[in-house]
Amino acid sequence: MSKEIQKALKATGLDVLSCMQCGICTGSCPSGWNTGFNTRRIIRDAAKNRVTVLSDDNLWLCTTCYTCQERCPRGIPITDTILNLRRLAVREGLILPEHRKVAEMVMERGHAVPLDEETKKKREELGLEPIPETVQKCPEALEELKILLKICKFDELIAER
Ligand code: SF4
Ligand code: SF4
């Protein structure tokens, strides 16, 4: 995969080679202010085809606020690049356990965070239907969603390897 990172990014119209490592992205990143997340380093590793960028847990700390992308003096689509790196990582089976659990919940219940009994009760107290018009309310729709996700091979994508 290491040789493929640049190629895969370029195929989606993302070119990070013009990065001059000025660090404006890192300084602008609200996520990096409180964590070890360093946007400049992610872009550098992607530009250098370092496969470790895909297994770097920090890759998942971006909140996709797009501040870095708006400020990059070289006009590099940084956030889009991070999203694409995540896609590549998942295809390689590199997915955080927490994210796998959320994905499994979508497969099973149709929602990343299904409504629990307490929330349903609160909704009723507010005069709302306990469950809004979503797949959680409609078993047929949930079955259809499951079929669609299987056709897309979503289950294989998120399976532990
Ligand atoms: S702001 Fe742009 S040019 Fe500067 S380090 Fe970040 S990605 Fe590279
Ligand atoms: S889009 Fe992600 S990397 Fe860029 S500033 Fe926001 S949190 Fe940081």
Side-chain angles (χ1 to χ4, degrees), residues 16 18-26 39-40 43 68 71-76 78:
V16 290
S18 63
C19 171
M20 58 181 175
Q21 289 290 295
C22 66
I24 288 175
C25 50
T26 302
T39 319
R40 179 192 59 77
I43 298 300
C68 56
R71 293 185 179 172
C72 174
R74 287 285 164 90
I76 295 172
I78 304 169

Side-chain angles (χ1 to χ4, degrees), residues 7-139:
K7 221 166 105 187
L9 289 174
K10 272 200 169 169
T12 56
L14 299 168
D15 192 353
V16 290
L17 288 177
S18 63
C19 171
M20 58 181 175
Q21 289 290 295
C22 66
I24 288 175
C25 50
T26 302
S28 307
C29 177
S31 182
W33 294 338
N34 300 303
T35 67
F37 180 41
N38 186 324
T39 319
R40 179 192 59 77
R41 201 182 304 144
I42 294 275
I43 298 300
R44 180 200 63 194
D45 289 352
K48 287 183 180 284
N49 274 320
R50 287 186 181 146
V51 74
T52 47
V53 72
L54 300 181
S55 54
D56 187 343
D57 285 356
N58 287 319
L59 191 59
W60 302 93
L61 291 177
C62 168
T63 62
T64 66
C65 71
Y66 278 86
T67 309
C68 56
Q69 187 156 321
E70 284 183 350
R71 293 185 179 172
C72 174
R74 287 285 164 90
I76 295 172
I78 304 169
T79 318
D80 299 336
T81 299
I82 289 171
L83 290 173
N84 269 271
L85 289 170
R86 287 177 176 176
R87 284 188 196 104
L88 290 175
V90 172
R91 276 191 217 124
E92 294 292 308
L94 300 166
I95 177 169
L96 294 182
E98 296 83 358
H99 293 166
R100 181 171 280 117
K101 268 191 195 138
V102 169
E104 284 168 357
M105 192 64 87
V106 173
M107 282 286 299
E108 195 186 311
R109 311 271 297 271
H111 283 269
V113 185
L115 289 181
D116 58 17
E117 291 310 313
E118 194 186 337
T119 310
K120 286 184 207 167
K121 208 169 148 219
K122 279 186 187 156
R123 285 178 58 85
E124 276 184 310
E125 282 165 13
L126 291 167
L128 299 167
E129 290 283 322
I131 307 175
E133 300 296 324
T134 70
V135 287
Q136 198 168 346
K137 192 173 185 177
C138 179

